[in-house]
Amino acid sequence: MGLLSRFFEKKNPLDIPVDQLKENQIKLDMQIEKIEQEIEDIEAQIAALFERARNVGSKSEELTIATKIKTLNQRKRGLQNTHAQLNRQLMLVSNLLIIKENEAIVKGTPTWELLRKMSSEELERNLVSMQLDSRNLNENLNTMLGYTDQALGTGVDFEEDEELAEIMRTIQAVKEGELEPGTAAEKVTGSNKGSEDVTTE
């Protein structure tokens, strides 16, 4: 099970409400701070044990201290692993939150379609490794996902969908001044009023 499913069960990550994401972000921040404090405490305890070891007279006392240090160090490693996992979860939730807070901007773009089509695991993998910035979200997403405009097009089956490809060509023609928007609309919808009028007359 991935990080998302642990948090949000079987929901599509993009359908998770913003307030639920914010709540989890706060919880994660608190857990991370708590673990960081625990790690600091363990390091202080280990330092104190080494200080104590300087003054012991017997090998058995040294062994006792060494065993305590080893146990504390194992505990510290465990906490460091947990810390790394929590940071991954935090990155995931933070990036998802940025996308959700800017949903109105991203929705309807090829990037949004691409994100929607990803499995939870794939989306999770991408969101954990991203460093999103809400100011240039679309650009960030495209760069982070490693997609060019062409690849994005393929991601939403532009090339496989002949009708969509034709619409894209028509849009290009309008942008280049070869077609007027009205003519382009008629061409795409197939409603050629001019020719119909000629036939009726």
Side-chain angles (χ1 to χ4, degrees):
M1 284 222 156
L3 303 176
L4 287 168
S5 49
R6 255 181 266 155
F7 270 124
F8 310 110
E9 295 166 0
K10 292 184 180 179
K11 276 186 183 177
N12 181 311
L14 297 172
D15 294 331
I16 299 162
V18 169
D19 57 348
Q20 201 177 345
L21 287 168
K22 282 182 176 172
E23 188 183 317
N24 278 284
Q25 190 180 40
I26 291 163
K27 282 180 188 171
L28 283 166
D29 274 326
M30 287 167 68
Q31 282 178 285
I32 287 167
E33 278 177 34
K34 188 183 171 192
I35 284 175
E36 284 169 354
Q37 188 55 59
E38 278 186 67
I39 289 170
E40 275 183 42
D41 292 347
I42 286 171
E43 286 170 348
Q45 286 176 58
I46 290 172
L49 282 166
F50 275 116
E51 182 60 39
R52 201 173 116 199
R54 288 168 72 180
N55 304 312
V56 297
S58 69
K59 284 286 175 194
S60 64
E61 283 178 291
E62 279 180 19
L63 185 60
T64 303
I65 291 170
T67 307
K68 283 180 181 175
I69 289 171
K70 183 185 173 183
T71 305
L72 283 167
N73 213 23
Q74 284 173 340
R75 169 77 182 137
K76 181 189 166 183
R77 280 198 294 271
L79 285 168
Q80 283 172 325
N81 288 337
T82 307
H83 186 266
Q85 287 234 330
L86 288 172
N87 271 302
R88 285 180 71 237
Q89 290 177 21
L90 183 61
M91 181 66 78
L92 172 65
V93 171
S94 299
N95 283 331
L96 197 50
L97 191 54
I98 288 172
I99 291 170
K100 287 295 293 178
E101 286 175 334
N102 293 275
E103 190 172 339
I105 300 164
V106 186
K107 220 167 188 174
T109 66
T111 306
W112 180 260
E113 292 306 313
L114 196 65
L115 291 169
R116 293 281 320 173
K117 285 182 180 183
M118 283 183 189
S119 67
S120 290
E121 291 75 19
E122 201 182 351
L123 186 60
E124 180 180 305
R125 248 192 335 271
N126 282 297
L127 289 178
V128 165
S129 60
M130 288 180 188
Q131 293 280 349
L132 290 184
D133 181 341
S134 54
R135 288 167 299 179
N136 301 304
L137 182 61
N138 267 325
E139 192 183 324
N140 277 178
L141 275 170
N142 294 352
T143 308
M144 296 299 174
L145 291 169
Y147 289 103
T148 59
D149 288 342
Q150 187 181 352
L152 276 169
T154 312
V156 286
D157 300 332
F158 279 10
E159 288 173 7
E160 291 170 27
D161 188 327
E162 187 46 50
E163 185 186 351
L164 203 51
E166 179 57 35
I167 292 168
M168 292 298 285
R169 285 192 290 271
T170 310
I171 287 170
Q172 205 53 47
V174 171
K175 286 173 83 174
E176 288 168 11
E178 293 169 14
L179 277 177
E180 286 299 313
T183 315
E186 286 170 15
K187 182 182 177 203
V188 168
T189 58
S191 62
N192 199 332
K193 287 180 185 170
S195 58
E196 281 170 15
D197 289 345
V198 174
T199 350
T200 46
E201 282 172 14

